[in-house]
Amino acid sequence: GGNHFFYNYQKYRKYTLGSHPLDHAIAVIRTEHLWEDTIALDKELGGSGDFGKQEGRQETHGSETFASNSTELTSANAAYLCCVIYREIEVYQELILKAVNLNVDEKHDDIMKLMAHCQINVPAENTVDFVSDPYSWSDFSNGDGCKIVQPV
């Protein structure tokens, strides 16, 4: 992790949302929707949205040379990781919810995917509005799920 543990969402939040919570709009580019978000944001800002052919392009930054290339986490390890980095997840959720370039459905879907990844029983579709009433990751970290979770 190295620099990622120091230069994390919490650190940048301190200088942005933490210092100027109401002063500016926030736009996000989600990694899993990188080109879709980039093109839409570029168009929203008056650009053409034309970045050339990006489909299939991949940049690894040398990660293929690491000892393990496994990108799969067991369900138990995913839950454990969410317990460990819950403060990062809180800031991520805040960014998603404040993003002016995401619609309500995109925000809702992102939060629901995150909860499912963290092995949280996700309520049935449209029964809970986590956009208007955000999920408490602090409560999650203090809950029974994080007290009994052990890495596998």
Side-chain angles (χ1 to χ4, degrees):
N3 285 336
H4 289 288
F5 289 121
F6 184 74
Y7 296 105
N8 55 26
Y9 285 139
Q10 294 172 75
K11 178 173 178 68
Y12 291 114
R13 184 196 186 284
K14 178 178 166 183
Y15 298 105
T16 57
L17 296 172
S19 297
H20 313 282
L22 302 174
D23 291 50
H24 55 278
I26 297 168
V28 298
I29 297 176
R30 302 163 294 169
T31 303
E32 63 277 12
H33 300 281
L34 186 106
W35 289 111
E36 176 186 335
D37 288 351
T38 301
I39 291 166
L41 188 56
D42 185 60
K43 287 179 178 178
E44 185 70 27
L45 295 172
S48 67
D50 184 11
F51 291 91
K53 185 177 182 318
Q54 299 299 328
E55 186 176 335
R57 182 174 176 194
Q58 183 178 26
E59 181 62 55
T60 65
H61 301 286
S63 64
E64 68 278 356
T65 63
F66 297 160
S68 172
N69 285 334
S70 175
T71 58
E72 297 298 318
L73 282 176
T74 65
S75 296
N77 283 348
Y80 178 74
L81 182 60
C82 291
C83 291
V84 172
I85 66 167
Y86 80 92
R87 287 186 185 98
E88 285 291 284
I89 295 171
E90 284 179 326
V91 179
Y92 173 82
Q93 177 177 268
E94 183 178 10
L95 290 169
I96 293 296
L97 295 178
K98 290 185 176 190
V100 296
N101 62 315
L102 300 180
N103 65 41
V104 172
D105 290 337
E106 290 171 314
K107 293 175 183 183
H108 182 266
D109 289 349
D110 276 5
I111 299 305
M112 296 298 273
K113 286 178 195 171
L114 178 59
M115 292 174 70
H117 184 72
C118 290
Q119 309 307 307
I120 297 168
N121 290 328
V122 178
E125 194 77 25
N126 299 321
T127 59
V128 178
D129 181 7
F130 290 116
V131 174
S132 298
D133 186 18
Y135 184 74
S136 173
W137 291 96
S138 181
D139 289 351
F140 165 78
S141 74
N142 291 314
D144 292 337
C146 287
K147 290 178 183 154
I148 60 171
V149 171
Q150 297 294 321
V152 177

